[in-house]
Amino acid sequence: MKILIVENEPANLDVLTLVMEMEGFEVIPLCSAESFIPSAIAIEPDVVLLDIDLDGFDGRELCRELKETDGIQDTPVIIVSALSDEKVQSSLAYGADVAISKPFDLVDLVGQIRNVVGK
C-alpha cells in the first residue's frame, strides 16, 4: 500500500514516514505542497496523509483540488493537523475522508488508514 505524506515539518515527516514504514507501508514523503497534485497524479497513492498548514498552502484546499482531479478523485485523504479541532474537523467539508488532530495515537492513525483503504 502506497501512502503519500504531505507535511512541511521535517521532524513530523520523518516520524510519520518511519512509523508507516514499520507498519509495512510504502511511503512517499513530500515536504512541499507546491508539487502535491502532480505528485499524486504520478504516484497514484492508495491514501494521502495531509497537513493543513503547509507554508502558504491550505491542506483543506489541496484536498478539495485532489477530489476534483480526474484519475485521483477517489484517493482517500486523511487530514492530520495540530490546528484547532474545529479547523481540523472542517476538513471533512473539503472532501477529507478522515480528520485527526495532533497529537494523535499512532495505532488509531494506522487503523484509520487501513479502514479508508478497505472501503
Side-chain angles (χ1 to χ4, degrees):
M1 178 184 323
K2 288 188 288 190
I3 299 177
L4 176 60
I5 302 175
V6 187
E7 167 67 63
N8 64 334
E9 292 293 330
N12 292 345
L13 185 59
D14 289 346
V15 168
L16 281 171
T17 298
L18 179 64
V19 169
M20 295 303 123
E21 287 176 344
M22 288 173 52
E23 288 293 325
F25 300 128
E26 177 185 345
V27 178
I28 300 90
L30 189 62
C31 61
S32 169
E34 289 183 56
S35 61
F36 169 61
I37 295 296
S39 295
I41 291 169
I43 295 164
E44 297 182 356
D46 296 300
V47 66
V48 173
L49 296 184
L50 183 62
D51 196 359
I52 292 176
D53 188 13
L54 293 165
D55 290 335
F57 291 88
D58 185 326
R60 297 170 302 175
E61 290 294 338
L62 293 173
C63 176
R64 176 179 290 164
E65 188 177 341
L66 179 139
K67 295 293 187 171
E68 294 173 352
T69 302
D70 288 340
I72 57 171
Q73 71 273 9
D74 295 328
T75 305
V77 175
I78 298 177
I79 295 287
V80 181
S81 180
L83 295 178
S84 70
D85 194 52
E86 183 178 316
K87 270 195 175 174
V88 173
Q89 292 308 312
S90 75
S91 302
L92 300 172
Y94 290 77
D97 295 86
V98 176
I100 299 175
S101 295
K102 293 178 185 174
F104 53 85
D105 181 85
L106 290 171
V107 173
D108 179 52
L109 177 60
V110 170
Q112 292 285 1
I113 292 167
R114 294 188 193 286
N115 185 46
V116 297
V117 172
K119 283 184 178 176

